[in-house]
Amino acid sequence: MELRDLKVLITGGSRGIGKATALAFANKGCDVAVNYLHSAAKAKEVVKEIENIGRRAIAVKADVSILQECERMVEQVIEAFGRIDVLVNNAGVFPKHFKITEITEEEWDWILSINLKGAFNVTKLVVPGMVKRRLGRIISVASIAGKSGGTVGVAYAASKAGLIGFTRALARELAPYGITVNAVAPGPVDTDFLTPEFKTKAAKLSPQGRIARPEEIAHAIIFLAENDHITGEVININGGRYVD
Ligand code: NAP
């Protein structure tokens, strides 16, 4: 599919992978809504960068774990752009504890409510418009941890494995309506998500001897958005660290 003039909503678009993805869609000729929660100034910078590319952009505050905030966000985006053609479920949080003996019920709920329920909340709100127009792309940012189990504990791995199951089930449900549903499963990526020490260790574990750049994840997301026939797919982007 030609991406030019499509309207894109990226959750967690203020930093890291979301920011790289927002700029990549703008460079393809799309208008982009940049969702954020805490990083208002950074989201506004992304908006400016997109405007400098020559496309329209808005920054929209919402906590993806709260359905009512997602409703307001989707209304704002539709008011600005008229519709949402592409949704990138990217917002996510990294665990504070890795061991099951240390993860509290609150931390479990916090991670699952953002990384998994957040995707459900926003997707549920954008799907009716996509079904009506018989056109849509839903792409979620899962993780290597959702496939391999990873090294950062059960809550994060369960949230990302959940996102992969969500993607596969929804792909089959929405295929008759011209909507594709896919995910990317990055290994460690060079963003603020990980500490410098974690990144150094992760690079040593990679057959390529390095971690990913955010632009490499954005590139795979664009590829999935452009393709009409790939659906239910989860693309590994990890330099060979995990292969399935
Ligand atoms: P990041 O630089 O820490 O950015 C996280 C983004 O998520 C920020 O824009 C943040 O917005 C947003 N966010 C967090 N909680 C939110 C909430 N409740 N509602 C709305 N937005 C929220 O991390 P990143 O590396 O780009 O990660 C993006 C995605 O990639 C995550 O889903 C992560 O699990 C996944 N991933 C990352 C890696 C990695 O190594 N970096 C590897 C695999 C998968 P504010 O700053 O505005 O609050």
Side-chain angles (χ1 to χ4, degrees), residues 10-23 32-37 39 42-43 46-47 50 60 88 90-91:
I10 300 182
T11 68
S14 51
R15 300 186 285 118
I17 296 168
K19 175 181 177 177
T21 305
L23 295 175
V32 186
V34 178
N35 158 251
Y36 68 95
L37 181 55
S39 307
K42 289 190 173 168
V46 179
V47 165
I50 292 171
V60 204
V88 181
N90 165 75

Side-chain angles (χ1 to χ4, degrees), residues 101-120:
T101 46
E102 292 168 7
I103 302 170
T104 60
E105 184 188 5
E106 287 72 29
E107 185 172 351
W108 171 273
D109 288 345
W110 173 66
I111 290 176
L112 272 287
S113 72
I114 296 169
N115 293 7
L116 182 55
K117 190 180 165 213
F120 166 76

Side-chain angles (χ1 to χ4, degrees), residues 29-152:
C30 301
D31 296 333
V32 186
V34 178
N35 158 251
Y36 68 95
L37 181 55
H38 300 108
S39 307
K42 289 190 173 168
K44 280 173 197 149
E45 273 171 36
V46 179
V47 165
K48 256 197 203 140
E49 283 189 53
I50 292 171
E51 288 170 349
N52 288 340
I53 292 167
R55 299 305 312 189
R56 292 168 64 207
I58 55 166
V60 204
K61 183 176 181 181
D63 182 337
V64 294
S65 69
I66 301 173
L67 185 61
Q68 291 86 332
E69 292 196 18
C70 295
E71 283 167 352
R72 279 200 295 275
M73 167 172 72
V74 168
E75 276 168 22
Q76 271 176 271
V77 180
I78 290 174
E79 207 176 292
F81 295 159
R83 61 182 199 273
I84 297 167
D85 303 306
V86 181
L87 167 65
V88 181
N89 288 311
N90 165 75
V93 286
F94 189 77
K96 296 187 191 338
H97 300 95
F98 299 168
K99 292 191 173 140
I100 194 156
T101 46
E102 292 168 7
I103 302 170
T104 60
E105 184 188 5
E106 287 72 29
E107 185 172 351
W108 171 273
D109 288 345
W110 173 66
I111 290 176
L112 272 287
S113 72
I114 296 169
N115 293 7
L116 182 55
K117 190 180 165 213
F120 166 76
N121 283 344
V122 187
T123 303
K124 186 174 166 56
L125 294 165
V126 305
V127 159
M130 290 178 173
V131 167
K132 223 186 260 169
R133 291 186 300 281
R134 295 291 195 270
L135 181 140
R137 297 285 182 265
I138 298 163
I139 301 156
S140 296
V141 182
S143 166
I144 189 172
K147 289 188 169 192
S148 71
T151 58
V152 300

